[in-house]
Amino acid sequence: MINNLDLKSVLDNMDTGVILVNDQEKIIHINNLLTEITGYTKDELSNLSDCFKVAFRDAKKRENIKEIFDFNLREDKIFEGIFKIETKSGQLKDLKFKANKLPNDYLVVNVVDVSDDISRKKEIKIIKDRLKIAVEAANIGIWDWDVKEEYIH
């Protein structure tokens, strides 16, 4: 049987941010990586509503996301998605959330900062678009030579 100290150690050493929420929506644990990602500690976030309030400052957006979140959990579905949230310092980050309901109606939420991945994808798209324009402007093409078939296309 795993005791609370073992569970805390496992959660603290995960490579994702973790929030553990009890069946009353009270946060019982936030690991160090989540604090590093968001800037918020367990002392600042006592329940799930607090998390939604600080992550989604816009009330309408917060309510929409909360409705989807609640629906998925009522249906015992996994809630996941990438959301732009505001950290404690005011920085906007793209975070991937994945919430799973445990058999005891506790909730474990994994959080991964994907901001760098998204900005890299945007940069790659810009570079591809520029290359396409340059190729078209220079009236050059990329040729593919099929040596076996003696065909160039």
Side-chain angles (χ1 to χ4, degrees):
M1 186 73 159
I2 297 176
N3 66 36
N4 287 344
L5 196 55
D6 291 337
L7 179 61
K8 183 181 180 313
S9 178
V10 167
L11 295 176
D12 282 340
N13 290 300
M14 291 183 70
D15 61 353
T16 64
V18 177
I19 304 170
L20 186 61
V21 182
N22 71 11
D23 56 348
Q24 312 289 294
E25 293 195 356
K26 182 175 175 15
I27 295 175
I28 55 176
H29 188 71
I30 290 177
N31 74 351
N32 297 333
L33 187 54
L34 186 92
T35 298
E36 205 175 290
I37 292 170
T38 66
Y40 293 101
T41 65
K42 183 179 180 294
D43 296 334
E44 296 167 303
L45 303 172
S46 61
N47 58 49
L48 208 49
S49 292
D50 289 347
C51 288
F52 279 99
K53 284 178 188 170
V54 298
F56 307 106
R57 305 280 167 98
D58 179 83
K60 187 173 181 176
K61 182 177 182 178
R62 179 174 55 243
E63 287 306 312
N64 289 339
I65 292 170
K66 182 81 167 102
E67 277 181 31
I68 296 167
F69 182 83
D70 290 341
F71 173 79
N72 280 321
L73 294 180
R74 275 194 310 275
E75 298 294 316
D76 286 331
K77 295 180 181 175
I78 294 172
F79 173 81
E80 63 183 317
I82 297 174
F83 301 99
K84 189 171 287 297
I85 68 115
E86 190 173 334
T87 65
K88 185 176 178 180
S89 67
Q91 180 183 12
L92 292 177
K93 288 190 175 183
D94 294 299
L95 301 182
K96 181 177 181 179
F97 290 86
K98 185 172 184 180
N100 294 293
K101 195 172 182 182
L102 301 175
N104 59 359
D105 284 336
Y106 277 40
L107 184 67
V108 63
V109 182
N110 292 335
V111 180
V112 178
D113 185 351
V114 294
S115 302
D116 289 341
D117 296 343
I118 289 174
S119 82
R120 275 192 219 109
K121 284 180 184 176
K122 287 178 184 174
E123 288 173 15
I124 289 171
K125 183 183 180 329
I126 290 169
I127 290 168
K128 281 183 177 179
D129 291 346
R130 287 180 181 165
L131 179 60
K132 182 179 175 186
I133 292 169
V135 167
E136 288 173 1
N139 199 20
I140 60 175
I142 299 173
W143 299 91
D144 183 22
W145 182 12
D146 185 339
V147 177
K148 287 183 185 176
E149 299 293 321
E150 295 183 10
Y151 181 73
I152 297 175
H153 48 136

